[in-house]
Amino acid sequence: MFDHVVVHYAEIGTKSGNRSMFEKALARNLREMIAPFAAVRVRRETGRLTCSLADVAEADRAAVVAAAARQPGVAHASPAVRTAPTIEAMCTAVVALASTRSGSFKIAARRSEKTLPFDSRAMNVELGAAVQAATGRPVDVHTPDDMYVVEADSHRAYVRDARIAGPGGLPVGVSGKVISLLSGGIDSPVASYLAMLRGCRVVAVHFWNRSYSGEGVREKVLAIGRALARFQPSLRLELVPFEDIQQEIVAAAPAELRMLLYRRAMLRVAGALRSRHKAAGLVLGDSVGQVASQTLPNLAAVYEGAAPPILTPLIAMNKMDVVRIAERIGTYESSILPGADCCSLLVARHPSTRATAAALAEVEAQCDLEPLVQAALAEREIHVIAPA
Ligand code: ATP
Ligand code: MG
């Protein structure tokens, strides 16, 4: 039915200086996302991107439009038919689209070049009449069930079907790279997603205690990674063994400080990965007061020593709202699978809610963490998840 997808972008249209760079990033992301279906060319046309789906199997085209629509930076995407800019050709295309549904409709025509031998009013009238005659559907210009946007210039016309809303934000990559600490929980996948929406390319890092968490955790975290890879073409996910670091901390630390020391050790490893990947920041799923480890004093004590910026997109969000996003982006079902996070190993039932950086540093001084950090880095397991 349709042979193109027309993608309108969100904020990038407003940033004139960077516009071309942003358009190129979004075009590249779209191309990579569609690549598993077919190699497509993405064209940058004024104020929008278009790609031909001619090489995509008919049965896959709806999935391709959906994949395009969910990319960071996209305001909305529409399946479309490209035709010659003649009334006859546009009528044929819009009738074909309008015949697949019922209810009222509206034509919203735009003519972008005055050299065309008809104006937008004539397009509205003629195309509307053609659809009415062919389908019997009534016109409703105020609250139509379907709106068909038709845009014509002297070279071509696009007849668009109903648009699919995108997430807005910025295309992945334009803000640089971040290291996102990805647990198997509900929060950090959402934090990673929100960072992507601000144009960050996420490198996900998960810490696991292979003897405590078990092999199931790998599958769980990979499933979360696959869900996130629907929004960022190619997601690098590194699994860092944490058992030796944990053992060292457990031996030196009182139970009520262990969780926070684990988190500081994670930030230390993440800081090293940040340099290796030339990343510009860290992302965490913390939210003020959500759990004992996330009181303001504890966050301060954990973050101390880690280089800014530390991005915490969920910092002021309610859990319910986080859960809603997790469900929408498809990470929730994997996050609630069983699988113990290594942070729960041998921690107190009532952990400290008012730790200080000094108290944590004092315990760390009794540990020999640096060689263990280096060993964990050397033994990490790397997965690159391509778009499915
Ligand atoms: P989440 O649902 O993301 O696990 P949480 O509310 O359970 O978050 P914590 O378990 O205290 O909170 O973790 C806080 C943050 O620390 C997480 O959001 C994540 O960014 C990071 N983190 C915790 N555990 C791990 C881990 N095993 N690997 C990587 N990052 C982790
Ligand atoms: Mg957790």
Side-chain angles (χ1 to χ4, degrees), residues 181-189 205-208 259 263 266 283-286 290-291 293-294 319 341-343:
L181 283 82
L182 187 70
S183 74
I186 295 167
D187 298 321
S188 45
V205 180
H206 177 72
F207 297 88
W208 64 324
M259 163 96 79
R263 301 272 317 277
M266 288 179 184
V283 177
L284 290 155
D286 289 315
Q290 194 194 84
V291 287
S293 58
Q294 295 169 24
K319 188 74 181 189
D341 190 86
C342 62
C343 280

Side-chain angles (χ1 to χ4, degrees), residues 58-203:
E58 287 265 355
D60 290 334
R61 289 185 186 177
V64 166
V65 176
R70 68 175 165 256
Q71 295 315 302
V74 171
H76 53 84
S78 315
V81 182
R82 187 163 96 185
T83 71
T86 65
I87 294 286
E88 299 69 40
M90 291 187 287
C91 279
T92 306
V94 75
V95 164
L97 286 179
S99 302
T100 63
R101 279 200 288 271
S102 57
S104 62
F105 76 97
K106 170 186 178 174
I107 307 284
R110 281 176 216 146
R111 179 188 67 155
S112 59
E113 282 169 36
K114 297 250 182 301
T115 51
L116 286 170
F118 46 80
D119 63 11
S120 57
R121 211 192 63 86
M123 289 165 72
N124 282 333
V125 169
E126 302 234 14
L127 272 59
V131 170
Q132 264 184 312
T135 67
R137 294 176 64 174
V139 172
D140 180 345
V141 293
H142 299 296
T143 53
D145 292 316
D146 290 314
M147 180 162 84
Y148 298 100
V149 175
V150 182
E151 291 166 313
D153 62 26
S154 56
H155 298 288
R156 64 189 78 83
Y158 289 100
V159 180
R160 289 200 242 146
D161 207 340
R163 59 167 69 167
I164 301 169
L170 303 171
V172 164
V174 299
S175 300
K177 203 185 277 178
V178 293
I179 305 291
S180 185
L181 283 82
L182 187 70
S183 74
I186 295 167
D187 298 321
S188 45
V190 174
S192 303
Y193 170 71
L194 293 177
M196 289 173 181
L197 281 191
R198 296 316 303 164
C200 299
R201 173 170 293 281
V202 165
V203 174

Side-chain angles (χ1 to χ4, degrees), residues 314-374:
L314 314 187
I315 201 68
M317 282 175 69
N318 296 321
K319 188 74 181 189
M320 283 258 290
D321 297 323
V322 177
V323 165
R324 213 166 285 135
I325 299 176
E327 288 173 336
R328 185 160 52 74
I329 65 175
T331 54
Y332 183 77
E333 56 186 69
S334 299
S335 290
I336 59 172
L337 292 172
D341 190 86
C342 62
C343 280
S344 56
L345 174 74
L346 296 174
V347 294
R349 204 122 67 83
H350 298 289
S352 168
T353 52
R354 298 182 154 277
T356 62
L360 298 178
E362 198 180 307
V363 184
E364 281 166 356
Q366 297 159 45
C367 302
D368 192 12
L369 286 179
E370 194 47 35
L372 300 175
V373 164
Q374 294 308 323

